Amino acid sequence: MNAAAGTKSPTTRKTSLYRLRTMGAGGAEDLATMVVPRYLDRDGFHVATVEHGPLQGLLVSGTIAPGAADWCATLAALSGLTVQEENRTSLGLLLVRTDQAVYALSYGMGHLMIDPARIDPGFGIEFAVRCLDKDRITKVRRQIMDARGRTDENSATAGEHIRGFGIEEFGEIVSQISGQITDVPLTFTRDGRRAAHVTGTDRSVKIHLGSSPVDLVEDLCSIEEVCARPNPLPEFEFITQVRPLSPRSERAQQLDARLDLLLGTGDTSRMALAVPGECRDRFEFAEAFRLRLAGRNELVAALDVADLAEAVRARPQGQRLATLRAGRVEMFADTEAADRLSRKVPADQWVTAEIPDGPVHYFYWQGQWYEVGAEYLTAVRRRVSELLARPATVVLPPWSKGEVEAAYNEKVAEQEGYVLLDKDTIRTERLRGGGLEIADVLGPQGQLIHVKRTDSRKGTAPLNHLFAQGRVAVETLRYDLVAREKFVAKLDELAPGHPADRSFAAPTVVFGILLKDGEPMTVDSLFAFAQVSLLHTATALQGMGAKLEIVSIGRGPIG
């Protein structure tokens, strides 16, 4: 109801709210088991049972005073004066039990006291996408779930439509979304004069909650009613199809065990090399990799998932994934490992793996597990099928058994109007002195043809490289004027009068792929993560004005 003019608004406070996972009968479980044990008996911390009106729960609070701030000495040295200030960190945590669940209200740094394994990682996004106003979104943070591994964050102070943030329907994980909510009765909006804003993350909801026991319980009931809605709002449905799992959750630990078993089989058909986000910008310029893994310390010219899996294969069951996580990979721009391109990155972050479990699939990516729903996978397969069905404008002959890639590219280029570009690189300052192949072969209308053969040992790692190569080639031609001028000069030298559009404003990119044994390219023959990567590459190319064609190369006789 609307309050009369001058009536004071109900008291609320913006709070970080977590939903906790219970074990067994939630109503009987000791709430103290959901708190990190060291805080329960720490000096200066207080633990008390709460029974206040309708509110039942557990309160934990305290202050950490580790001593002088670490910047005191620096300020004293700079100013010549005595500086004595102390860091003090306050922690407040209220666990509240309802008929449906257990919630944690965090104040200060109180979230540090929650046992991470108990946090429901889907709660924040689950709530937000069921009540946000699609036209009043203020912030979105998402991760690109492909070889780039990039995190983007975009804001709109006044709020705008969710589609204005450019979120991809496939291949992106939304880890935070903020905006105005509608149709949720809360203490904060009871007077009818204020609109509530929330931030939903993959761990929590930040929202104004009532400051009295009765108001808080009513607010929690309203939040539960929203989460109980069977489906998210149509505009947000695609966001919920991929969600991260807490690393310490029971499901993540079960998946760790299954991946550990898979690493012991030597089968990498459901694994691929995934370049960590921090390495992506310089990966194309890497000439060597330092691999420190399972007692090995060696320099290799190229890295693929089979190298990483084979290094831990002989380890005892239960130790393979742990060994991979303890290993390190370092990139270098030269073959002597003198010009470092990256830090020592955990080896498991270079691996992605798919674990199917009925209609749901799980992906290990960037060192974390993600759950992918059946509807998402169905939509991915539909989009990939559409890509594969596009007619091709080039002819790629059969690939003879025993024929190396260089020889096959020469055979393609023997056709009238085709130009061999394989190993013919261009170099610019933007490329840090490294060479870049714009394509393996140029087609008769200027198509940029990229060719790759896969085999069972390397899984889909060659495809990930192929997709990245096509995208980087178009980015370079579009944004690097020097590179484009050098490529055009090279083309004029190799094939004067070729009809290719020298502006490359709307190029056609062709991925020519030979699968093992020459099997046809279908959604069933592509690793699901590779399908997502392909879709994201197709969208990126479309955004740069490029068209994409995919050609399945057949197997010819022994060469």
Side-chain angles (χ1 to χ4, degrees):
M1 63 180 178
N2 293 331
T7 301
K8 186 177 180 180
S9 298
T11 303
T12 62
R13 183 181 180 88
K14 200 155 196 178
T15 306
S16 292
L17 180 69
Y18 299 77
R19 188 171 65 193
L20 306 186
R21 304 168 65 154
T22 57
M23 298 180 180
E29 189 172 6
D30 184 358
L31 296 180
T33 62
M34 303 180 185
V35 180
V36 176
R38 67 175 178 272
Y39 292 104
L40 296 173
D41 54 10
R42 183 171 183 144
D43 289 342
F45 276 62
H46 308 281
V47 182
T49 299
V50 175
E51 293 184 359
H52 190 200
L55 203 64
Q56 295 185 359
L58 183 74
L59 172 65
V60 185
S61 64
T63 299
I64 300 173
D70 60 6
W71 42 262
C72 290
T74 299
L75 277 184
L78 290 171
S79 64
L81 302 173
T82 300
V83 180
Q84 293 180 329
E85 303 295 343
E86 188 179 57
N87 278 321
R88 295 180 65 84
T89 302
S90 59
L91 299 86
L93 185 67
L94 178 62
L95 303 185
V96 178
R97 195 194 309 272
T98 71
D99 292 338
Q100 303 295 323
V102 173
Y103 297 91
L105 286 72
S106 169
Y107 302 90
M109 299 297 287
H111 65 278
L112 297 177
M113 297 191 288
I114 307 173
D115 181 349
R118 295 303 193 102
I119 296 175
D120 184 342
F123 170 56
I125 300 297
E126 174 187 327
F127 173 75
V129 299
R130 283 168 169 76
C131 61
L132 280 170
D133 184 336
K134 66 181 184 302
D135 294 311
R136 293 291 185 269
I137 307 302
T138 56
K139 180 182 291 185
V140 172
R141 178 185 300 155
R142 72 281 184 99
Q143 295 169 284
I144 313 302
M145 197 174 178
D146 69 355
R148 291 179 292 178
R150 191 179 73 238
T151 298
D152 285 343
E153 184 172 303
N154 302 97
S155 301
T157 305
E160 64 176 85
H161 194 283
I162 179 62
R163 288 299 180 185
F165 287 85
I167 304 173
E168 293 295 338
E169 187 171 354
F170 304 108
E172 294 195 355
I173 302 164
V174 174
S175 58
Q176 177 179 318
I177 185 167
S178 304
Q180 183 175 311
I181 62 176
T182 59
D183 299 326
V184 183
L186 295 170
T187 303
F188 184 79
T189 59
R190 187 181 300 159
D191 59 13
R193 296 180 297 176
R194 301 180 294 184
H197 288 73
V198 304
T199 295
T201 74
D202 50 14
R203 290 166 55 87
S204 68
V205 174
K206 184 167 285 189
I207 186 173
H208 278 278
L209 295 174
S211 297
S212 74
V214 172
D215 287 343
L216 175 59
V217 170
E218 289 182 355
D219 286 345
L220 292 179
C221 287
S222 292
I223 290 171
E224 289 179 339
E225 184 277 324
V226 171
C227 291
R229 296 172 186 174
N231 299 303
L233 297 171
E235 295 81 7
F236 301 100
E237 191 169 10
F238 68 95
I239 292 177
T240 63
Q241 293 298 320
V242 179
R243 69 181 192 123
L245 302 180
S246 170
R248 296 183 60 183
S249 68
E250 182 180 358
R251 171 60 69 186
Q253 292 174 15
Q254 292 171 348
L255 292 167
D256 280 354
R258 291 183 63 178
L259 178 54
D260 189 272
L261 286 172
L262 187 61
L263 288 167
T265 66
D267 179 10
T268 59
S269 61
R270 290 195 174 272
M271 300 182 196
L273 191 72
V275 181
E278 64 184 278
C279 299
R280 185 62 195 93
D281 289 343
R282 299 185 176 183
F283 178 72
E284 299 297 330
F285 314 121
E287 296 291 337
F289 300 83
R290 173 73 67 184
L291 184 61
R292 295 178 174 88
L293 178 61
R296 298 165 57 183
N297 186 346
E298 59 182 315
L299 198 66
V300 296
L303 190 68
D304 63 53
V305 70
D307 295 327
L308 300 172
E310 188 60 32
V312 301
R313 181 180 178 184
R315 291 284 164 137
Q317 182 176 331
Q319 296 183 22
R320 302 178 188 111
L321 181 55
T323 301
L324 196 62
R325 287 170 172 162
R328 294 293 184 269
V329 175
E330 201 173 2
M331 297 193 310
F332 296 90
D334 63 314
T335 56
E336 288 75 32
D339 186 1
R340 183 179 288 107
L341 288 177
S342 76
R343 70 179 180 95
K344 300 171 185 175
V345 180
D348 72 303
Q349 294 188 19
W350 290 84
V351 173
T352 183
E354 175 192 2
I355 302 291
D357 189 4
V360 177
H361 282 219
Y362 297 93
F363 291 98
Y364 192 75
W365 180 77
Q366 304 283 297
Q368 185 171 2
W369 285 105
Y370 290 83
E371 179 181 311
V372 180
E375 293 181 5
Y376 179 92
L377 291 175
T378 299
V380 168
R381 289 171 63 88
R382 183 180 67 250
R383 285 280 301 276
V384 170
S385 295
E386 292 171 357
L387 279 176
L388 297 178
R390 290 180 181 176
T393 58
V394 300
V395 176
L396 297 182
W399 193 319
S400 300
K401 292 184 178 180
E403 191 172 32
V404 298
E405 185 174 310
Y408 177 76
N409 287 332
E410 291 177 0
K411 183 165 64 177
V412 174
E414 289 174 356
Q415 301 176 102
E416 184 176 355
Y418 291 71
V419 181
L420 181 65
L421 299 174
D422 186 25
K423 308 300 182 185
D424 206 339
T425 61
I426 58 173
R427 299 175 184 271
T428 70
E429 183 177 343
R430 179 178 179 271
L431 299 174
R432 288 176 50 87
L436 174 69
E437 285 184 12
I438 295 298
D440 293 314
V441 179
L442 191 73
Q445 281 82 48
Q447 300 95 326
L448 302 174
I449 304 172
H450 301 266
V451 171
K452 191 63 62 178
R453 175 181 61 185
T454 68
D455 59 49
S456 57
R457 178 179 180 273
K458 293 186 177 182
T460 58
L463 294 184
N464 291 338
H465 177 75
L466 178 70
F467 301 154
Q469 182 184 26
R471 184 183 63 249
V472 171
V474 174
E475 288 174 347
T476 300
L477 290 175
R478 185 177 179 87
Y479 302 116
D480 190 334
L481 177 60
V482 174
R484 185 166 69 248
E485 289 176 344
K486 287 190 174 184
F487 180 67
V488 169
K490 187 180 294 292
L491 178 59
D492 289 339
E493 177 186 345
L494 294 172
H498 192 283
D501 177 8
R502 267 48 174 183
S503 72
F504 291 97
T508 296
V509 175
V510 179
F511 291 147
I513 302 172
L514 171 67
L515 295 181
K516 59 180 181 179
D517 301 322
E519 63 179 293
M521 179 84 64
T522 67
V523 290
D524 294 318
S525 58
L526 278 179
F527 173 42
F529 188 86
Q531 294 180 30
V532 172
S533 184
L534 173 59
L535 287 180
H536 208 279
T537 298
T539 302
L541 290 173
Q542 182 179 8
M544 292 185 287
K547 301 177 182 178
L548 176 62
E549 298 176 3
I550 302 169
V551 179
S552 183
I553 301 174
R555 175 63 86 185
I558 298 176

